PDB file of all heavy atoms in Angstrom:
ATOM      1  N   LEU A  15       7.291  25.233  -0.243  1.00 89.00           N
ATOM      2  CA  LEU A  15       8.447  24.402   0.076  1.00 89.00           C
ATOM      3  C   LEU A  15       8.951  23.655  -1.162  1.00 89.00           C
ATOM      4  O   LEU A  15      10.154  23.610  -1.421  1.00 89.00           O
ATOM      5  CB  LEU A  15       8.096  23.411   1.181  1.00 89.00           C
ATOM      6  CG  LEU A  15       9.201  22.470   1.615  1.00 89.00           C
ATOM      7  CD1 LEU A  15      10.388  23.245   2.169  1.00 89.00           C
ATOM      8  CD2 LEU A  15       8.685  21.472   2.622  1.00 89.00           C
ATOM      9  N   LYS A  16       8.033  23.088  -1.953  1.00 88.00           N
ATOM     10  CA  LYS A  16       8.423  22.398  -3.181  1.00 88.00           C
ATOM     11  C   LYS A  16       9.126  23.347  -4.143  1.00 88.00           C
ATOM     12  O   LYS A  16      10.136  23.000  -4.755  1.00 88.00           O
ATOM     13  CB  LYS A  16       7.206  21.770  -3.859  1.00 88.00           C
ATOM     14  CG  LYS A  16       6.690  20.533  -3.183  1.00 88.00           C
ATOM     15  CD  LYS A  16       5.498  19.975  -3.963  1.00 88.00           C
ATOM     16  CE  LYS A  16       4.933  18.736  -3.348  1.00 88.00           C
ATOM     17  NZ  LYS A  16       3.785  18.207  -4.109  1.00 88.00           N
ATOM     18  N   PHE A  17       8.589  24.543  -4.287  1.00 90.00           N
ATOM     19  CA  PHE A  17       9.201  25.535  -5.178  1.00 90.00           C
ATOM     20  C   PHE A  17      10.599  25.904  -4.694  1.00 90.00           C
ATOM     21  O   PHE A  17      11.546  25.985  -5.483  1.00 90.00           O
ATOM     22  CB  PHE A  17       8.317  26.782  -5.265  1.00 90.00           C
ATOM     23  CG  PHE A  17       8.872  27.839  -6.160  1.00 90.00           C
ATOM     24  CD1 PHE A  17       8.729  27.751  -7.536  1.00 90.00           C
ATOM     25  CD2 PHE A  17       9.559  28.929  -5.635  1.00 90.00           C
ATOM     26  CE1 PHE A  17       9.254  28.710  -8.368  1.00 90.00           C
ATOM     27  CE2 PHE A  17      10.090  29.894  -6.461  1.00 90.00           C
ATOM     28  CZ  PHE A  17       9.935  29.800  -7.834  1.00 90.00           C
ATOM     29  N   ALA A  18      10.746  26.112  -3.381  1.00 89.00           N
ATOM     30  CA  ALA A  18      12.050  26.478  -2.821  1.00 89.00           C
ATOM     31  C   ALA A  18      13.069  25.364  -3.027  1.00 89.00           C
ATOM     32  O   ALA A  18      14.224  25.628  -3.373  1.00 89.00           O
ATOM     33  CB  ALA A  18      11.903  26.810  -1.340  1.00 89.00           C
ATOM     34  N   LEU A  19      12.659  24.111  -2.820  1.00 86.00           N
ATOM     35  CA  LEU A  19      13.584  22.990  -2.999  1.00 86.00           C
ATOM     36  C   LEU A  19      13.960  22.797  -4.464  1.00 86.00           C
ATOM     37  O   LEU A  19      15.118  22.505  -4.785  1.00 86.00           O
ATOM     38  CB  LEU A  19      12.974  21.713  -2.439  1.00 86.00           C
ATOM     39  CG  LEU A  19      12.884  21.642  -0.911  1.00 86.00           C
ATOM     40  CD1 LEU A  19      12.102  20.413  -0.491  1.00 86.00           C
ATOM     41  CD2 LEU A  19      14.256  21.655  -0.285  1.00 86.00           C
ATOM     42  N   ASP A  20      12.994  22.965  -5.356  1.00 88.00           N
ATOM     43  CA  ASP A  20      13.270  22.799  -6.781  1.00 88.00           C
ATOM     44  C   ASP A  20      14.206  23.875  -7.315  1.00 88.00           C
ATOM     45  O   ASP A  20      14.950  23.644  -8.262  1.00 88.00           O
ATOM     46  CB  ASP A  20      11.972  22.803  -7.587  1.00 88.00           C
ATOM     47  CG  ASP A  20      11.179  21.524  -7.408  1.00 88.00           C
ATOM     48  OD1 ASP A  20      11.772  20.520  -6.972  1.00 88.00           O
ATOM     49  OD2 ASP A  20       9.969  21.541  -7.705  1.00 88.00           O
ATOM     50  N   ASN A  21      14.186  25.053  -6.730  1.00 90.00           N
ATOM     51  CA  ASN A  21      14.990  26.164  -7.228  1.00 90.00           C
ATOM     52  C   ASN A  21      16.192  26.490  -6.346  1.00 90.00           C
ATOM     53  O   ASN A  21      16.843  27.510  -6.558  1.00 90.00           O
ATOM     54  CB  ASN A  21      14.106  27.416  -7.381  1.00 90.00           C
ATOM     55  CG  ASN A  21      13.051  27.207  -8.446  1.00 90.00           C
ATOM     56  OD1 ASN A  21      13.359  26.802  -9.559  1.00 90.00           O
ATOM     57  ND2 ASN A  21      11.811  27.455  -8.099  1.00 90.00           N
ATOM     58  N   ALA A  22      16.487  25.629  -5.375  1.00 86.00           N
ATOM     59  CA  ALA A  22      17.614  25.878  -4.482  1.00 86.00           C
ATOM     60  C   ALA A  22      18.937  25.678  -5.233  1.00 86.00           C
ATOM     61  O   ALA A  22      19.064  24.787  -6.073  1.00 86.00           O
ATOM     62  CB  ALA A  22      17.550  24.944  -3.282  1.00 86.00           C
ATOM     63  N   ARG A  23      19.896  26.493  -4.906  1.00 88.00           N
ATOM     64  CA  ARG A  23      21.231  26.377  -5.503  1.00 88.00           C
ATOM     65  C   ARG A  23      22.105  25.549  -4.582  1.00 88.00           C
ATOM     66  O   ARG A  23      21.997  25.613  -3.374  1.00 88.00           O
ATOM     67  CB  ARG A  23      21.830  27.763  -5.684  1.00 88.00           C
ATOM     68  CG  ARG A  23      20.991  28.626  -6.616  1.00 88.00           C
ATOM     69  CD  ARG A  23      21.743  29.824  -6.993  1.00 88.00           C
ATOM     70  NE  ARG A  23      22.872  29.332  -7.788  1.00 88.00           N
ATOM     71  CZ  ARG A  23      23.552  30.063  -8.643  1.00 88.00           C
ATOM     72  NH1 ARG A  23      23.236  31.322  -8.808  1.00 88.00           N
ATOM     73  NH2 ARG A  23      24.545  29.563  -9.322  1.00 88.00           N
ATOM     74  N   LEU A  24      22.992  24.769  -5.185  1.00 87.00           N
ATOM     75  CA  LEU A  24      23.931  23.986  -4.398  1.00 87.00           C
ATOM     76  C   LEU A  24      25.154  24.835  -4.088  1.00 87.00           C
ATOM     77  O   LEU A  24      25.804  25.363  -4.987  1.00 87.00           O
ATOM     78  CB  LEU A  24      24.355  22.731  -5.163  1.00 87.00           C
ATOM     79  CG  LEU A  24      23.276  21.679  -5.368  1.00 87.00           C
ATOM     80  CD1 LEU A  24      23.819  20.518  -6.191  1.00 87.00           C
ATOM     81  CD2 LEU A  24      22.760  21.177  -4.052  1.00 87.00           C
ATOM     82  N   GLY A  25      25.451  24.939  -2.810  1.00 90.00           N
ATOM     83  CA  GLY A  25      26.613  25.706  -2.385  1.00 90.00           C
ATOM     84  C   GLY A  25      27.809  24.802  -2.141  1.00 90.00           C
ATOM     85  O   GLY A  25      27.772  23.581  -2.353  1.00 90.00           O
ATOM     86  N   ARG A  26      28.889  25.424  -1.691  1.00 93.00           N
ATOM     87  CA  ARG A  26      30.127  24.684  -1.434  1.00 93.00           C
ATOM     88  C   ARG A  26      29.921  23.594  -0.383  1.00 93.00           C
ATOM     89  O   ARG A  26      30.429  22.482  -0.525  1.00 93.00           O
ATOM     90  CB  ARG A  26      31.196  25.665  -0.978  1.00 93.00           C
ATOM     91  CG  ARG A  26      32.479  25.001  -0.598  1.00 93.00           C
ATOM     92  CD  ARG A  26      33.514  26.003  -0.189  1.00 93.00           C
ATOM     93  NE  ARG A  26      34.589  25.867  -1.165  1.00 93.00           N
ATOM     94  CZ  ARG A  26      35.433  26.785  -1.470  1.00 93.00           C
ATOM     95  NH1 ARG A  26      35.341  27.976  -0.921  1.00 93.00           N
ATOM     96  NH2 ARG A  26      36.391  26.572  -2.336  1.00 93.00           N
ATOM     97  N   ALA A  27      29.166  23.881   0.676  1.00 90.00           N
ATOM     98  CA  ALA A  27      28.921  22.888   1.727  1.00 90.00           C
ATOM     99  C   ALA A  27      28.135  21.692   1.191  1.00 90.00           C
ATOM    100  O   ALA A  27      28.397  20.548   1.571  1.00 90.00           O
ATOM    101  CB  ALA A  27      28.170  23.522   2.895  1.00 90.00           C
TER     102      ALA A  27
END
Side-chain angles (χ1 to χ4, degrees):
L15 180 61
K16 285 181 180 180
F17 180 80
L19 289 173
D20 287 341
N21 295 309
R23 299 192 66 159
L24 292 178
R26 176 179 243 155

